[in-house]
């Protein structure tokens, strides 16, 4: 499986250096109801600053019908992963990325999103996670990327509402009603007069 993952992840390494990025604020992005793009309609994303100066993230509420074991049938540790693989986004659909719960970096090519949560792109790091703590992570095919300033522009245009992220929400097992639930939360915040889009001020 290592060879497959390394080939799939080559295009991700343009920004994921061997050093672990410093922690910045990760955010939950909730798609506006009028957002009709088939890739992002009724989605909830986790996004964070990337070393490139842009942002990177994954879609949290698009589980697939595939297991990790079915994607890599020759790799025995993959069969231990209980949850389905998620569709993370339209960038590098052939690549596997992982959200990893860990007290310290899982390895090279990892971005610290918040305490005890990393987004990992490097193939051999993901391989190690699968072989050691397979169910302390969530696995995605593809991801979402924004150029510097691009996400701020999308938020300013009203495409996304923004909420603070937390690990429990990120790893929530039942994601069927997640978009509707968080959309209502953002509406309540706006009704209270609070700013639900902290990135728009940056």
């Amino acid at each position: 499986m290592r060879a497959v993952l390394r080939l799939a992840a080559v295009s991700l390494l343009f920004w994921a250096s061997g050093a672990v990025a410093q922690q910045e604020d990760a955010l939950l992005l909730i798609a506006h109801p009028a957002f009709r793009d088939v890739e992002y309609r009724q989605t909830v994303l986790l996004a964070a600053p990337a070393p490139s100066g842009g942002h990177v993230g994954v879609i949290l509420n698009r589980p697939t019908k595939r297991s990790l074991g079915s994607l890599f049938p020759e790799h025995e540790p993959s069969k231990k992963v209980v949850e389905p693989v998620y569709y993370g986004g339209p960038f590098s659909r052939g690549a596997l990325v992982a959200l990893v719960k860990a007290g310290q970096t899982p390895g090279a090519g990892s971005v610290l999103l918040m305490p005890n949560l990393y987004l990992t792109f490097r193939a051999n790091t993901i391989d190690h996670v699968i072989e050691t703590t397979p169910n302390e992570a969530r696995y995605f095919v593809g991801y979402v990327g924004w150029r510097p300033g691009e996400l701020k522009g999308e938020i300013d245009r009203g495409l996304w509402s923004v909420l603070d992220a937390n690990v429990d929400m990120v790893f929530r097992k039942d994601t069927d009603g997640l978009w509707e639930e968080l959309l209502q939360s953002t509406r309540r915040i706006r009704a209270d007069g609070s700013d639900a889009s902290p990135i728009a001020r940056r």
Side-chain angles (χ1 to χ4, degrees):
M1 187 176 108
R2 283 189 174 90
V4 175
L5 288 180
R6 287 196 180 104
L7 283 171
V10 166
S11 63
L12 300 174
L13 300 183
F14 71 96
W15 69 271
S17 64
V20 175
Q22 294 300 307
Q23 177 185 348
E24 303 235 13
D25 294 336
L27 302 168
L28 287 176
L29 304 176
I30 298 89
H32 190 279
F35 203 156
R36 298 302 181 189
D37 187 311
V38 66
E39 297 286 359
Y40 302 112
R41 184 175 178 271
Q42 297 187 357
T43 55
V44 176
L45 276 68
L46 180 71
S52 65
H55 285 76
V56 66
V58 289
I59 298 171
L60 296 178
N61 61 333
R62 290 268 181 89
T64 72
K65 298 182 183 296
R66 300 295 300 273
S67 67
L68 199 64
S70 72
L71 293 179
F72 303 103
E74 303 301 318
H75 187 248
E76 286 299 319
S78 293
K79 298 175 183 177
K80 297 178 182 178
V81 176
V82 176
E83 290 190 349
V85 173
Y86 281 66
Y87 173 66
F91 288 62
S92 296
R93 294 171 193 253
L96 191 70
V97 302
L99 284 172
V100 183
K101 289 186 284 187
Q104 59 185 11
T105 173
S110 300
V111 178
L112 179 61
L113 303 184
M114 64 181 76
N116 303 318
L117 182 65
Y118 294 82
L119 183 59
T120 299
F121 290 83
R122 188 69 65 86
N124 57 353
T125 300
I126 296 172
D127 222 14
H128 180 70
V129 170
I130 294 170
E131 291 172 359
T132 55
T133 55
N135 290 299
E136 291 300 306
R138 181 166 286 176
Y139 304 92
F140 299 80
V141 287
Y143 73 105
V144 183
W146 294 267
R147 295 184 298 273
E150 188 176 15
L151 179 55
K152 180 181 182 301
E154 291 182 1
I155 293 172
D156 289 345
R157 286 159 49 205
L159 296 180
W160 306 102
S161 295
V162 180
L163 293 173
D164 292 334
N166 63 75
V167 173
D168 289 340
M169 183 66 72
V170 169
F171 283 91
R172 181 165 136 170
K173 292 186 182 298
D174 179 13
T175 62
D176 281 350
L178 185 61
W179 177 77
E180 292 88 349
E181 179 183 320
L182 294 181
L183 186 65
Q184 289 301 318
S185 294
T186 64
R187 287 172 172 165
R188 285 195 296 271
I189 290 171
R190 284 195 292 271
D192 291 341
S194 303
D195 184 359
S197 299
I199 197 171
R201 300 195 300 269
R202 296 178 186 174

